[in-house]
Amino acid sequence: QVHLVQSGGGQVQAGGSLRLSCRYAGYTYRNRCMGWFRQAPGKEREAVAGIYTSDQSTYIGDSVKGRFTISQDYAKMTVYLQMNSLKPEDTAMYYCSVTDLADLCEPMDPARSRYWGEGTQVTVSS
């Protein structure tokens, strides 16, 4: 069994920052993509960022480039999403995910994710 334990999130004013974390609890952490997706009410689930656990190559979605950064602590099997310059349109439920054994993070298709965290709400007020 694999579990993804999320923490962070909350409410912040526009221009502020938040950091999300996701701890992988399971086996064979290497050779997987750990990803962040978000979903607002009435909208499709959107890929935000991903990091390949073995070489730390990253994917950043166009809508958050220059503002969000993904990183990992391999020894702790934990990934982080640093969110800066937050905008009201960033308001969503944020989900951590992990793929089966893979070679790349891209494409960042939610169908490639095998396990999901419980989600954490991020609310950005104007």
Side-chain angles (χ1 to χ4, degrees), residues 57-113:
S57 60
T58 60
Y59 164 89
I60 302 292
D62 289 341
S63 64
V64 301
K65 281 183 179 178
R67 300 188 297 120
F68 290 13
T69 302
I70 188 169
S71 62
Q72 76 169 339
D73 185 327
Y74 189 92
K76 294 181 179 179
M77 297 190 293
T78 301
V79 298
Y80 306 94
L81 184 68
Q82 179 66 47
M83 304 182 292
N84 297 325
S85 301
L86 283 160
K87 304 175 181 179
E89 51 262 46
D90 295 318
T91 296
M93 186 72 74
Y94 284 70
Y95 297 93
C96 178
S97 75
V98 64
T99 65
D100 285 334
L101 297 176
D103 296 324
L104 298 168
C105 270
E106 296 184 73
M108 286 290 294
D109 184 344
R112 298 183 69 214
S113 297

Side-chain angles (χ1 to χ4, degrees), residues 26-54:
Y27 58 91
T28 316
Y29 178 69
R30 67 185 185 276
N31 301 133
R32 298 180 186 271
C33 181
M34 295 281 285
W36 291 97
F37 295 79
R38 67 186 183 187
Q39 189 165 23
K43 295 186 178 180
E44 297 293 318
R45 187 161 295 195
E46 175 189 16
V48 176
I51 185 165
Y52 189 60
T53 57
S54 296

